[in-house]
Amino acid sequence: MQELHTLWGKILKKVEYQVSSISYDLWVKTMEPLSFEQPNILVLACQNDIAKKQVERLHGDLLSTVVVDLFGEGASIKFLTPDEKRIYLEKNQGQSVAEERMNGNSKFNPKYTFDNFVVGKSNEYVYAAALAVSENPGKRFNPLFIYSGVGLGKTHLLNAIGNSIAQKQPKLKIVYATSEKFINDYVYALKHNSTKDNSVFEFRDKYRNIDVLMIDDIQLLSGKNGTQEEFFHTFNDLYESGKQIILSSDRPPKEIATLEERLRSRFARGLMQDMQLPDYETRVAILQKKADLEHYKIHQSVIELLAQKSQTNIREMEGLLEKVYFFSTLRSKSEATMEEALAALNEKEDRREGLTADKIIDTVCKYFGVEKQDLTGKKKSKDIVEPRMIAVYLIYDILGLPLVNIGMIMGGRDHTTIMHARDKISEQAKESSKIISFLSSIRSMLDELPEE
Ligand code: ADP
Ligand code: MG
């Protein structure tokens, strides 16, 4: 262990003067080295999710270069969030969470409970429905379909239901999976199926031989026909035997492109409930709860500032809170002040680097489940025109390209057409909650794109 820390000390020395001192204090120095064993991979745990994002984005390249310098070609670095660290440590103590998942219940995030969920006007119905389902799974509201914009608490609620059932009825089998996990598991099962290895059977056993199934971000099944078919049968199987199904999505079923009609009508059998953007008071309460939970000392005025600044995405708002908190802990031991908050929020993020019009177009297509050639083509149906205008708006807003260039990129359109699209979305971005949620979902997908 000592060795590992000496080694980490060497790396720190090398990077210290190559990055800004704020960045160094906030993101680099705060990492904890976990191991340097698996052939030449230095594993570093970051203090929180945003720290990982920032350090990867801002200093990933530099740190990799330093490690290669010190330990030779082939040496590399891996950054972990606190959740990943937990999984990593468990794995290295011989018990893998992933395996545990395969043969039984999912693990739920212990912080995502009903108690830690702040109820306001925007989410009171969903909260009530989730609570009811957790008390009597399979009996009321089946399926429960929750939808809202990104970062408004869907995953939190699903975990809260899971935590609560696991506590009250520990015998029940609960499986939680994101759509992506469901798709991957299914594709894997198909690929490895044989008479000897009946992986499709295993897949079905895993998803059907249970009491509660939760699929998070079901909109990502859009366009995956084979998996939709399998999901349809999974759904019917569970539904007919009175098992609880809970689904989340970032939009209502009727707006999920290329979702089979029969699935849509299945979803409509139960309760469909949306969450709206939380109002100011609710946002303040959420921040307070989070600060209490994490024992952050933060002045009330700072909480109010953050609640004003961030209106459409709670995850982002919490990110700001963490940023301010870590910034302030470096300076003093007392509570975070307004002055520190403003300084922390001012640190420039150069994330736009590496983003191109093509990547924006691809992401928009992925989000809406449309083809690129349609997006940049001549089709005039609404399900194409709206995504097209949104792509234009985002390219303009993020990259600031001249309208003429955007016109060329978008399949040779006139710059006045581009201007019209941009202005229309920019108007709607002020009042239409649908457009606001589209834009914020796509922006967060863009934020999560790997940097090359
Ligand atoms: P979604 O799945 O809708 O994208 P998440 O459930 O991941 O959103 O929520 C993002 C973050 O915001 C989480 O840290 C979650 O705990 C927090 N959050 C969202 N809504 C609330 C709420 N009403 N009360 C407390 N925390 C919330
Ligand atoms: Mg989620």
Side-chain angles (χ1 to χ4, degrees), residues 111-113 116-120 122-123 127 148-159 176 216-217 248-249 275 278 282 285-287 289-290 313-316 318:
K111 285 191 182 158
Y112 288 172
T113 60
N116 292 344
F117 192 83
V118 174
V119 186
S122 58
N123 58 26
Y127 180 84
S148 79
V150 152
L152 295 184
K154 299 182 292 295
T155 299
H156 184 136
L157 275 179
L158 262 49
N159 276 270
Y176 164 97
D216 207 354
D217 288 322
S248 88
S249 164
M275 279 190 279
T282 309
I286 292 174
L287 284 171
K289 182 130 230 169
K290 169 99 181 170
N313 183 331
I314 296 173
R315 187 173 311 126
E316 227 168 70
E318 291 183 345

Side-chain angles (χ1 to χ4, degrees), residues 401-430:
L401 295 183
L403 298 175
V404 178
N405 298 29
I406 302 179
M408 285 182 328
I409 296 166
M410 293 301 292
R413 295 187 142 74
D414 190 78
H415 76 276
T416 53
T417 316
I418 298 299
M419 189 166 71
H420 172 74
R422 176 199 66 185
D423 293 346
K424 180 146 185 203
I425 298 297
S426 135
E427 263 318 295
Q428 290 180 346
K430 289 186 197 132

